[in-house]
């Protein structure tokens, strides 16, 4: 299991949803948020796709809900009906508490993603130790150390 394949708790899902909801209201902040978050920081696959799409669309200045829905539909290669995407995006907007809280939610998503990555690296080190693979253990320890120092 990779760090992004982790089952999210409700608090993590809410924080991720709030980030996307805020960006739906204030898409001009997408480049600013991209300095702190990466798509891989999102554990929810749909929200990850929303984030990736918002980042791309913000470069062209067309990061509105209809365009985002079309972009996601295209990325999913039509596997999900466009009519099913719209309600999800509108629900994210409806559940957005306040765009002024965006920084708080960005910090929370970033922190939870860091914890997931550290847990993954720790588990990889344990697996390597059980296999008695010293090189893999050292690699995991070095990666974990870098992650703790803030290096990805």
């Amino acid at each position: 299991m990779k760090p992004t394949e982790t089952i999210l708790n409700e608090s993590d899902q809410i924080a991720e949803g709030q980030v996307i909801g805020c960006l739906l209201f204030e898409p001009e902040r997408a480049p600013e948020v991209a300095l702190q978050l990466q798509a891989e920081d999102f554990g929810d696959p749909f929200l990850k796709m929303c984030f990736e799409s918002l980042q791309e669309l913000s470069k062209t200045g067309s990061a509105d809900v209809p365009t985002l829905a079309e972009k996601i539909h295209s990325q999913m290669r039509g596997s999900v009906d466009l009519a099913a995407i719209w309600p999800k995006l509108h629900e994210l907007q409806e559940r957005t508490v306040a765009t002024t809280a965006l920084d708080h939610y960005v910090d929370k998503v970033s922190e939870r993603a860091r914890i997931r990555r550290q847990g993954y690296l720790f588990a990889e080190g344990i697996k390597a130790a059980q296999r008695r693979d010293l090189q893999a253990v050292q690699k995991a320890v070095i990666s974990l150390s870098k992650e703790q120092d803030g290096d990805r």
Side-chain angles (χ1 to χ4, degrees):
M1 183 181 311
K2 297 194 183 230
T4 55
E5 296 172 345
T6 305
I7 297 173
L8 300 178
N9 65 36
E10 186 176 357
S11 176
D12 292 349
Q13 287 177 322
I14 289 170
E16 290 183 8
Q18 289 294 309
V19 168
I20 300 302
C22 288
L23 291 177
L24 289 173
F25 282 110
E26 296 181 356
E28 68 278 3
R29 293 192 64 191
E32 165 196 339
V33 172
L35 296 174
Q36 296 173 275
L37 291 179
Q38 297 176 0
E40 68 187 33
D41 292 334
F42 287 80
D44 181 288
F46 179 74
L47 297 176
K48 176 182 180 176
M49 192 175 302
C50 287
F51 185 78
E52 290 171 330
S53 297
L54 280 167
Q55 291 303 315
E56 289 178 36
L57 292 172
S58 71
K59 294 174 186 170
T60 64
S62 60
D64 54 42
V65 172
T67 309
L68 177 61
E70 287 285 344
K71 177 85 172 158
I72 292 169
H73 183 257
S74 171
Q75 284 184 327
M76 298 177 94
R77 294 179 175 84
S79 64
V80 174
D81 187 29
L82 184 59
I85 297 170
W86 275 80
K88 288 183 175 186
L89 295 176
H90 285 293
E91 183 179 348
L92 288 169
Q93 281 185 311
E94 288 174 6
R95 290 186 176 192
T96 300
V97 177
T99 57
T100 55
L102 178 58
D103 293 334
H104 166 76
Y105 288 113
V106 166
D107 289 344
K108 187 167 184 170
V109 170
S110 177
E111 175 66 16
R112 295 300 300 163
R114 188 175 65 80
I115 290 168
R116 284 194 305 272
R117 286 190 302 272
Q118 287 178 354
Y120 171 76
L121 292 169
F122 187 72
E124 288 299 303
I126 290 172
K127 289 178 196 173
Q130 290 171 339
R131 292 189 314 268
R132 303 208 189 295
D133 183 345
L134 183 58
Q135 281 186 317
V137 170
Q138 289 172 335
K139 181 180 176 184
V141 168
I142 290 168
S143 296
L144 183 57
S145 178
K146 286 180 180 178
E147 179 66 38
Q148 287 177 320
D149 291 341
D151 299 333
R152 286 193 191 195

